[in-house]
Amino acid sequence: RKEVEQDPGPFNVPEGATVAFNCTYSNSASQSFFWYRQDCRKEPKLLMSVYSSGNEDGRFTAQLNRASQYISLLIRDSKLSDSATYLCVVVTYTGNQFYFGTGTSLTVIP
Amino acid sequence: EAGVTQFPSHSVIEKGQTVTLRCDPISGHDNLYWYRRVMGKEIKFLLHFVKESKQDESGMPNNRFLAERTGGTYSTLKVQPAELEDSGVYFCASSPTLNYGYTFGSGTRLTVV
């Protein structure tokens, strides 16, 4: 069983739409959670950390549900520049290893 | 602040040859990681250095892979001899502490033919 599962998409949404991605993880002892963004043929870049209380950064909202072992990312008012692959990342309890999902592809259409 | 730098950005080598990848982490970051993404798969952990010490190398696929971190600064990852299945993108990342979001380098795209 994979450590992190993500729906690969692709998600094709019009500009201005709201889109949500979910990710599940298998290790209940996982300690930290992140969303990364990866543009085509580029390196992953940290988008935001995910906290149990939920956190928001502008149009982006991340949520963590420890009981159900899933993480979500909500993007409101989608922009063309949001088109990318979004990677869900879970960190082991030892804190030294990231487990990546395969990524969810988003294309925002004019 | 300079980011994580990787060299080369691309490498094409023949099966059986040796290739050495280099990573320069962000200055002051004690934690340095190597990850790899092969075609169609998720990014996977290879190993973790804390300063010059290997903290965890459980992700290294086999003994053809050797990583070093001289003096706790830059790191090299050598593949010898390279096999076709070693093709992929090798990312280096660094962080100041554990459980902190990494900063990734732009990766080295390795193609073994």
Side-chain angles (χ1 to χ4, degrees):
Chain A
R1 184 183 175 184
K2 287 187 177 180
E3 292 281 343
V4 180
E5 298 270 7
Q6 271 187 270
D7 178 352
F11 285 67
N12 299 314
V13 302
E15 271 186 289
T18 295
V19 62
F21 307 135
N22 289 325
C23 162
T24 57
Y25 61 95
S26 60
N27 188 342
S28 60
S30 297
Q31 191 172 31
S32 302
F33 309 89
F34 302 94
W35 282 101
Y36 273 73
R37 169 193 169 131
Q38 187 172 24
D39 293 285
C40 187
R41 301 179 80 86
K42 300 278 190 178
E43 73 274 21
K45 290 188 177 178
L46 179 63
L47 181 65
M48 59 198 304
S49 303
V50 187
Y51 305 117
S52 296
S53 54
N55 48 301
E56 189 173 307
D57 182 3
R59 299 181 292 108
F60 298 82
T61 300
Q63 294 275 357
L64 166 64
N65 185 317
R66 284 190 183 273
S68 301
Q69 293 181 207
Y70 80 79
I71 307 150
S72 65
L73 177 68
L74 182 77
I75 305 175
R76 291 181 299 278
D77 188 22
S78 299
K79 311 290 184 191
L80 297 177
S81 56
D82 294 335
S83 298
T85 296
Y86 291 82
L87 300 164
C88 173
V89 177
V90 172
V91 186
T92 63
Y93 70 94
T94 57
N96 72 327
Q97 183 174 149
F98 276 18
Y99 289 96
F100 283 83
T102 51
T104 300
S105 174
L106 171 67
T107 301
V108 180
I109 304 163
Chain B
E1 176 185 74
V4 178
T5 306
Q6 289 188 249
F7 181 84
S9 57
H10 292 83
S11 180
V12 181
I13 61 171
E14 292 183 352
K15 177 182 171 181
Q17 288 187 321
T18 297
V19 63
T20 301
L21 314 181
R22 173 170 169 146
C23 169
D24 287 76
I26 292 174
S27 178
H29 282 195
D30 287 342
N31 294 279
L32 185 150
Y33 308 83
W34 284 97
Y35 281 78
R36 176 174 76 167
R37 185 168 201 165
V38 297
M39 181 76 77
K41 303 279 186 156
E42 67 273 20
I43 298 171
K44 283 195 173 178
F45 171 82
L46 294 178
L47 85 160
H48 169 214
F49 283 99
V50 177
K51 296 185 180 178
E52 69 276 8
S53 300
K54 290 177 187 174
Q55 185 76 9
D56 180 355
E57 52 184 331
S58 60
M60 296 286 264
N62 51 61
N63 60 9
R64 295 185 295 103
F65 289 74
L66 175 64
E68 294 179 323
R69 189 179 183 191
T70 307
T73 56
Y74 71 91
S75 175
T76 57
L77 179 65
K78 180 190 287 189
V79 185
Q80 179 182 31
E83 298 289 344
L84 298 178
E85 64 264 25
D86 300 332
S87 296
V89 182
Y90 290 77
F91 290 106
C92 175
S94 71
S95 68
T97 61
L98 294 181
N99 292 317
Y100 195 86
Y102 300 167
T103 299
F104 280 87
S106 54
T108 293
R109 187 170 297 275
L110 175 65
T111 304
V112 183
V113 297

